[in-house]
């Protein structure tokens, strides 16, 4: 007959908490997916840009990620219309031409 | 790789009994090996104002990262053509430059030298990316929490205009310590960010 004394139960409980939290943490996505150094580098290419705070760098990185997703999603819409499964450059171009917030890219690409 | 680094830091911190040791580690991605300074460039490459040679690929974000993020946004069965990936890669760099330019203009007008978080958010808003602002503010709070718990010191560069007392307390209470009672061994479990550390005391 197995006997569980109070101490054992406490240990098991605390282990459970630790494990579930660890699993939860492992499932959490990374906060930043793009390299900060490279982004800082791109920002510094602007001659008027001198110093960048850490907050600013983070915000630019995060917004770049959001922009990437946004641009991809808009491009997909144009791909869907052609009933293709591969996103092609012309889909991206179409998104640039049709989405107001993406207009700044018009003519900016070589 | 990140997890190992963090646990090394924590072990080091806990190994010292009386001293409060601080490990200052850059939030930067350490895998970024291809910086302009490290490479062996020939003389005819364009040099930027600080004197380091600029390479074509340094203007853009790594294609692998770009592709990964794009993949999240497209349907499961979808694929991305190579030219589309490259196009988006260029677009993101343009976006970064666009925001930076607007933010630095504002800074210049207000006679400040450092671009801060507020400038970036303002630039987003005025350039038609207003819908990014609210989520970004939330991400920023998370980032500050993470930065505080990693560095274990008051980040002097971070501006505190939005950080509240609450945020700081949340960070502190995140270290959950479970001690096993009884016996000669005491094991402490601490949870910090994405790592679970186990320490045996005596």
């Amino acid at each position: 007959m197995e006997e569980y004394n109070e101490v054992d139960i406490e240990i098991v409980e605390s282990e459970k908490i630790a494990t579930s939290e660890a699993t939860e943490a492992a499932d959490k996505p990374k906060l930043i997916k793009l390299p900060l150094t490279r982004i800082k580098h791109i920002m510094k290419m602007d001659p008027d840009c001198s110093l960048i705070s850490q907050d600013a760098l983070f915000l630019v990185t995060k917004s770049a990620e959001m922009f990437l997703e946004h641009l991809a999603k808009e491009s997909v819409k144009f791909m869907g219309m052609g009933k293709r499964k591969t996103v092609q450059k012309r889909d991206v171009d179409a998104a640039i031409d049709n989405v107001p917030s993406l207009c700044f890219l018009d003519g900016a690409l070589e | 790789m990140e997890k190992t680094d963090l646990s090394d830091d924590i072990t080091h911190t806990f190994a010292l009994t009386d001293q409060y040791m601080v490990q200052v580690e850059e939030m930067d991605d350490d895998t970024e090996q291809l910086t302009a300074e490290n490479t062996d460039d020939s003389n005819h490459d364009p040099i930027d104002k600080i004197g380091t040679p600029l390479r074509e690929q340094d203007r853009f974000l790594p294609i692998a990262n770009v592709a990964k993020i794009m993949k999240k946004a497209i349907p499961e069965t979808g694929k991305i053509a190579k030219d589309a990936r490259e196009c988006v890669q260029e677009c993101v760099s343009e976006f970064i430059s666009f925001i930076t330019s607007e933010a630095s203009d504002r800074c210049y007008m207000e006679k400040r030298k450092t671009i801060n978080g507020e400038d970036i958010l303002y630039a987003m808003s005025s350039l038609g990316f207003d819908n990014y602002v609210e989520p970004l503010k939330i991400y920023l709070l998370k980032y500050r929490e993470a930065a505080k718990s990693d560095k274990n010191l008051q980040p002097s560069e971070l501006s505190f205009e939005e950080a509240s007392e609450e945020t700081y307390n949340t960070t502190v209470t995140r270290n959950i310590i479970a001690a096993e009672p009884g016996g000669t061994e005491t094991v402490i479990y601490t949870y910090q960010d994405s790592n679970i550390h186990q320490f045996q005391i005596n």
Side-chain angles (χ1 to χ4, degrees):
Chain A
M1 283 296 244
E2 286 175 276
E3 279 176 5
Y4 295 102
N5 61 33
E6 261 182 52
V7 176
D8 285 336
I9 292 169
E10 269 183 70
I11 293 168
V12 168
E13 276 310 306
S14 62
E15 270 180 344
K16 265 194 201 164
I17 299 166
T19 322
S20 68
E21 271 158 359
T23 337
E24 201 186 277
D27 291 336
K28 273 187 204 160
K30 280 196 289 185
L31 190 54
I32 303 170
K33 294 174 188 121
L34 294 169
L36 288 170
T37 336
R38 186 69 69 89
I39 293 189
K40 193 179 196 174
H41 196 88
I42 297 170
M43 288 176 79
K44 290 262 187 177
M45 289 194 322
D46 186 327
D48 298 325
C49 173
S50 43
L51 299 167
I52 307 162
S53 80
Q54 207 152 327
D55 276 2
L57 181 56
F58 171 76
L59 286 173
V60 172
T61 309
K62 209 60 201 166
S63 64
E65 283 176 30
M66 291 170 75
F67 177 77
L68 247 177
E69 281 184 51
H70 181 197
L71 182 55
K73 282 195 178 123
E74 294 294 340
S75 307
V76 165
K77 288 182 190 169
F78 292 93
M79 172 194 97
M81 288 182 197
K83 294 187 182 166
R84 279 179 282 111
K85 289 211 171 152
T86 310
V87 181
Q88 309 211 320
K89 184 173 184 295
R90 56 185 149 157
D91 301 321
V92 184
D93 287 336
I96 292 170
D97 287 339
N98 291 289
V99 181
S101 59
L102 301 177
C103 278
F104 74 95
L105 292 165
D106 195 18
L109 305 171
E110 284 146 36
Chain B
M1 197 166 93
E2 255 170 41
K3 282 186 181 182
T4 324
D5 289 345
L6 267 173
S7 64
D8 281 344
D9 287 345
I10 302 299
T11 316
H12 186 71
T13 314
F14 276 91
L16 302 158
T17 46
D18 294 321
Q19 276 175 303
Y20 185 69
M21 204 54 175
V22 161
Q23 286 282 319
V24 180
E25 212 165 272
E26 280 271 316
M27 285 291 285
D28 281 1
D29 188 356
D30 282 341
T31 60
E32 191 63 72
Q33 296 297 319
L34 268 166
T35 56
E37 300 92 75
N38 293 346
T39 57
D40 204 67
D41 287 289
S42 53
N43 293 333
H44 62 259
D45 278 348
I47 310 262
D48 73 342
K49 55 182 175 160
I50 16 174
T52 49
L54 269 175
R55 300 191 312 167
E56 192 62 30
Q57 52 262 61
D58 288 347
R59 287 202 294 130
F60 305 132
L61 296 172
I63 193 82
N65 299 51
V66 169
K68 221 182 199 176
I69 297 172
M70 279 184 84
K71 274 209 162 146
K72 264 203 336 172
I74 69 171
E76 276 286 317
T77 52
K79 290 185 184 175
I80 309 163
K82 185 171 179 238
D83 58 0
R85 272 202 302 264
E86 287 170 357
C87 179
V88 170
Q89 191 189 25
E90 276 185 54
C91 290
V92 183
S93 291
E94 276 301 317
F95 171 79
I96 293 169
S97 302
F98 192 42
I99 299 289
T100 307
S101 157
E102 185 69 21
S104 66
D105 278 352
R106 189 183 182 220
C107 251
Y108 181 79
M109 286 206 298
E110 297 186 2
K111 294 190 166 59
R112 282 183 286 113
K113 288 215 170 138
T114 312
I115 300 178
N116 61 30
E118 277 302 308
D119 297 324
I120 300 295
L121 292 174
Y122 179 81
M124 295 276 159
S125 199
S126 51
L127 294 173
F129 297 100
D130 198 41
N131 53 327
Y132 288 19
V133 174
E134 285 311 314
L136 282 174
K137 284 183 180 172
I138 297 169
Y139 281 125
L140 185 60
L141 287 175
K142 285 190 179 177
Y143 171 68
R144 284 173 177 172
E145 270 184 45
K148 278 177 195 169
S149 58
D150 281 352
K151 289 185 178 187
N152 280 325
L153 50 71
Q154 295 294 314
S156 50
E157 298 131 73
L158 295 178
S159 58
F160 283 92
E161 67 254 23
E162 280 174 321
S164 59
E165 198 75 60
E166 221 179 286
T167 316
Y168 181 75
N169 288 333
T170 321
T171 315
V172 171
T173 54
R174 245 213 254 151
N175 290 309
I176 297 155
I177 299 171
E180 289 180 56
T184 48
E185 286 175 349
T186 311
V187 181
I188 292 180
Y189 296 95
T190 65
Y191 163 60
Q192 197 152 359
D193 286 331
S194 57
N195 293 308
I196 183 89
H197 305 285
Q198 197 172 320
F199 301 102
Q200 206 134 21
I201 303 198
N202 287 336

